[in-house]
């Protein structure tokens, strides 16, 4: 089960999907496009535990974190 974690001003929300289910995979890909289109940065967790920035949807990623742009004042 793969996870997309979306960080925002209220905390985080987690979206789980089965990477072998075409419907769930399509929904996750649409979510990726929507969030990155809104300016969120996406990063996937590597086996070492580190995160790498990603620019395109990776259906094999077990965990993807989305975080919003920093806003200065």
């Amino acid at each position: 089960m793969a996870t997309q974690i979306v960080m925002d001003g209220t905390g985080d929300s987690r979206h789980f999907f089965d990477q072998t289910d075409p419907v769930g995979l399509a929904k996750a890909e649409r979510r990726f496009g929507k969030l990155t289109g809104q300016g969120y940065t996406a990063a996937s967790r590597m086996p070492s535990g580190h995160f790498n920035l990603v620019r395109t949807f990776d259906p094999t990623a077990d965990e993807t974190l989305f975080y919003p742009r920093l806003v200065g004042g």
Side-chain angles (χ1 to χ4, degrees), residues 8-73:
D8 63 23
T10 63
D12 69 86
S13 57
R14 294 170 186 260
H15 305 273
F16 302 97
F17 63 97
D18 181 351
Q19 293 163 304
T20 62
D21 173 34
V23 174
L25 203 54
K27 186 174 180 181
E29 186 169 12
R30 283 192 303 273
R31 184 181 301 112
F32 184 97
K34 177 182 176 188
L35 290 168
T36 55
Q38 292 174 347
Y40 279 77
T41 300
S44 291
R45 185 185 303 268
M46 305 307 293
S48 65
H50 293 94
F51 280 90
N52 280 347
L53 291 178
V54 291
R55 305 264 187 238
T56 58
F57 179 71
D58 178 2
T60 65
D62 289 327
E63 186 175 277
T64 305
L65 174 68
F66 297 89
Y67 54 95
R69 292 182 211 173
L70 295 176
V71 178

